[in-house]
Amino acid sequence: MGMPAQFHVLAVDDSLIDRKLIERLLKTSSYQVTAVDSGSKALEFLGLNDDNGDEDRDSSADADEQVGVNLIITDYCMPGMTGYDLLRRIKQSSSFKDIPVVIMSSENIPSRINRCLEDGAQDFFLKPVQLSDVNKLRPHLIKTHSNINKRKGMEDDIHSPVPDRTRPRYNELEVV
Amino acid sequence: MEVGQMQRRLVDYTKTLFMEGFLDAQFLQLQQLQDESNPDFVVEVVSLFFDDSEKLLNDLSMALDQPNVDFKKVDAHVHQLKGSSSSIGAQRVKNACIAFRNFCEEQNIDATLRCLQQVKHEYYLVKNKLETLLRLEQQIVAAGGSIPTIEMGF
């Protein structure tokens, strides 16, 4: 299978304002977005059972293809399941462990950031998330997609680059 | 008033808000995300912020009014308000929340009550400013003009 027409991002954040923001940021960059308000809803969307480590789906099925999620971006501080807990669950799942997970947080705590990165997070964004942060996602997605397909023994044909949607509407800003 | 004048007035007003610290660059980011296919994005996000904040301020008043104040709960509310104010660029509200959280950590009742008053004050100020700004934008659009993009080269 070649490059998907659009990458699908699953965004997780308990704040409605931040969900709206991340959704707009991602859509502006031509991603398809599903936004949920909790880690457990995220797992539910993926078809992962919340309580245990086993998946509902047949693990030999292309679970990530079925649900079609190419990246998960999650807030760190959430009631119940934190973004870190969600990261761990994803990385423990045989079907989903290769999906890149990006963590967002309003707090710049190096130990927190390092722990997330060490435990498999692809990247860590400080809130408020910027368009420039979202622009950093594409290489992760292209590389991961290519790796997943290689392992499945499929042809790697990411020769046609996904066109970037440019936004010429605004001028370069120089914040003094 | 013709469109050009209205646009200039809006730009000047917006610049003042930045200079006085009411808004920061994040607000510009919001405006950049608005386009023909999402013409009401800023209004929608700002409205969410108003609803969210007013609820949080109520919750905070109630939480601080208890005989035994649960500072963890108070801190959680302030954390949320700090997050949303930061997300829309309401800088002074955000800064008031940061101070608030420090006093929550100290479990200082008098100081946290003062902080609540401060946050409320900043919130109502920025609410007023944002409503004025959005009204100016609305007038421009109604007159057939487009909302000018702000350059912060000052």
Side-chain angles (χ1 to χ4, degrees), chain A residues 3-7 29-30 138 142 158-165:
Chain A
M3 195 75 104
Q6 248 193 334
F7 284 120
S29 305
S30 301
R138 202 164 284 273
I142 293 173
I158 48 159
H159 297 302
S160 50
V162 177
D164 265 325
R165 179 164 139 189

Side-chain angles (χ1 to χ4, degrees), chain B residues 53-63 120:
Chain B
S53 302
E54 278 162 45
K55 181 179 181 304
L56 283 168
L57 290 172
N58 272 337
D59 292 344
L60 279 167
S61 298
M62 284 207 307
K120 275 184 170 165

Side-chain angles (χ1 to χ4, degrees), chain A residues 61-128:
Chain A
D62 299 345
D64 62 323
E65 297 283 337
Q66 282 178 0
V67 171
V69 170
N70 305 108
L71 182 136
I72 296 167
I73 183 164
T74 178
D75 187 25
Y76 183 94
C77 270
M78 295 188 291
M81 189 184 292
T82 65
Y84 177 74
D85 297 330
L86 178 61
L87 166 70
R88 302 271 293 158
R89 288 287 281 106
I90 303 283
K91 293 302 162 187
Q92 280 159 14
S93 150
S94 51
S95 304
F96 296 103
K97 65 175 163 48
D98 290 321
I99 298 184
V101 180
V102 171
I103 312 267
M104 306 179 277
S105 176
S106 53
E107 290 167 314
N108 189 353
I109 299 173
S111 56
R112 171 185 292 184
I113 298 173
N114 287 329
R115 189 170 57 141
C116 289
L117 294 174
E118 278 164 22
D119 286 357
Q122 199 75 40
D123 213 331
F124 194 103
F125 293 163
L126 281 177
K127 283 181 162 184

Side-chain angles (χ1 to χ4, degrees), chain A residues 6-75:
Chain A
Q6 248 193 334
F7 284 120
H8 182 191
V9 179
L10 176 62
V12 191
D13 200 318
D14 60 313
S15 158
L16 178 53
I17 290 172
D18 288 346
R19 270 201 310 285
K20 196 169 168 70
L21 247 178
I22 196 72
E23 194 171 351
R24 190 82 269 278
L25 280 167
L26 291 166
K27 283 187 172 163
T28 286
S29 305
S30 301
Y31 296 111
Q32 186 194 337
V33 186
T34 298
V36 296
D37 66 7
S38 70
S40 42
K41 293 234 179 90
L43 292 176
E44 202 181 294
F45 181 79
L46 292 168
L48 280 172
N49 194 301
D50 201 355
D51 303 338
N52 55 46
D54 299 330
E55 285 116 46
D56 290 335
R57 296 175 195 275
D58 178 8
S59 56
S60 66
D62 299 345
D64 62 323
E65 297 283 337
Q66 282 178 0
V67 171
V69 170
N70 305 108
L71 182 136
I72 296 167
I73 183 164
T74 178
D75 187 25

Side-chain angles (χ1 to χ4, degrees), chain B residues 4 14 16 25 33 45 57 66 78 85 114 124 143:
Chain B
T14 310
T16 312
L33 291 172
V45 176
L57 290 172
Q66 302 302 305
V78 182
S85 55
R114 277 197 302 274
Y124 285 109

